[in-house]
Amino acid sequence: MRTACVLLGFGLLAIAATGCGPSAAGPTGGATPALPAPQSTANWKQVDNLDYLNWKKFPVGTVVVRTAVSTNGEGSTTGVDTFTLKAVGDAEVSVERQNTTSRSDGYHKVNPVDTRKVSAKITVHPELDPTDFLKPDRKAKETGKEKVKVLDAEYECVKWEWTNGTEAGPMSVAAWLSDEVPGRIAKQVMKVKVEGRENVTTETVTEWRKAK
């Protein structure tokens, strides 16, 4: 079981907030205020982890590849994340992630595999709103439903939008999520101005290998 005071929607927003491209960093979930640790966690609430419920629907061996392309008018960066469902249990699932990053200047790096455990439940500090943990970010607002094409099929997605603060300035984020897609992300777009140029990152599903 995971005890959390921040949002950690696995797979969401694996994109650097600054610079021109994706990073191998994990997902972000928005800033959470510093909170005193209570003497006992008996009154802490538990909420379902939507990422766990999503991955649990798919057979072990399922692979989904998401490609994020960042451009800023001068060059581009492409990050390819390969997610593989390794194990499914009642308390958690295990998801393997491998990131490869390339830049238009010739830079290319194959990063090591990172295996993460996604807990079935999130234990929430009593001073936090449990419903925030059902969003991709604490500031996210649901703005409607849209159909998004993922490879050769269309999926109805919930669209979320919000703004995050970064070192470069405010970054607008739009994410289209579907429980029918492994990892929930059908598409996401991030925009931030870096040194006067708008950096746009678009992430989409580029491969989906369904386990037999």
Side-chain angles (χ1 to χ4, degrees):
M1 176 171 30
R2 182 176 64 181
T3 300
C5 288
V6 294
L7 298 182
L8 294 173
F10 179 72
L12 292 175
L13 294 184
I15 301 296
T18 60
C20 179
S23 75
T28 63
T32 299
L35 297 170
Q39 294 181 349
S40 170
T41 60
N43 64 335
W44 287 36
K45 296 180 180 179
Q46 286 191 333
V47 296
D48 289 331
N49 187 336
L50 300 185
D51 292 317
Y52 167 85
L53 294 177
N54 169 258
W55 280 108
K56 188 180 180 181
K57 294 168 57 175
F58 299 96
V60 171
T62 295
V63 176
V64 65
V65 179
R66 297 202 298 265
T67 300
V69 179
S70 296
T71 58
N72 67 358
E74 285 194 335
S76 64
T77 300
T78 300
V80 179
D81 283 316
T82 301
F83 298 91
T84 304
L85 181 60
K86 303 298 289 185
V88 175
D90 292 336
E92 64 183 19
V93 298
S94 177
V95 181
E96 183 181 274
R97 172 177 174 260
Q98 192 280 318
N99 169 269
T100 298
T101 300
S102 303
R103 293 200 304 253
S104 55
D105 62 4
Y107 173 89
H108 181 80
K109 183 176 181 180
V110 178
N111 293 292
V113 171
D114 174 24
T115 300
R116 300 182 183 182
K117 308 294 186 181
V118 183
S119 300
K121 298 286 184 180
I122 301 173
T123 303
V124 183
H125 192 288
E127 294 185 30
L128 295 178
D129 183 354
T131 62
D132 281 345
F133 291 79
L134 304 178
K135 306 174 183 178
D137 186 280
R138 295 182 68 241
K139 299 182 293 295
K141 303 292 184 184
E142 183 178 336
T143 58
K145 294 183 178 181
E146 296 180 9
K147 287 188 176 181
V148 175
K149 189 171 183 179
V150 177
L151 301 173
D152 57 354
E154 283 193 337
Y155 296 88
E156 186 172 88
C157 300
V158 177
K159 184 179 180 182
W160 296 85
E161 295 183 88
W162 66 97
T163 300
N164 278 336
T166 73
E167 293 180 2
M171 177 178 68
S172 65
V173 184
W176 290 260
L177 307 184
S178 170
D179 287 332
E180 302 306 310
V181 177
R184 300 173 61 211
I185 299 176
K187 178 182 177 182
Q188 60 179 346
V189 177
M190 285 140 284
K191 298 179 181 179
V192 61
K193 282 193 175 182
V194 180
E195 298 179 350
R197 296 184 178 87
E198 186 175 58
N199 185 92
V200 180
T201 299
T202 302
E203 183 176 25
T204 57
V205 175
T206 51
E207 187 177 350
W208 179 353
R209 300 197 294 272
K210 300 180 181 181
K212 297 180 180 180

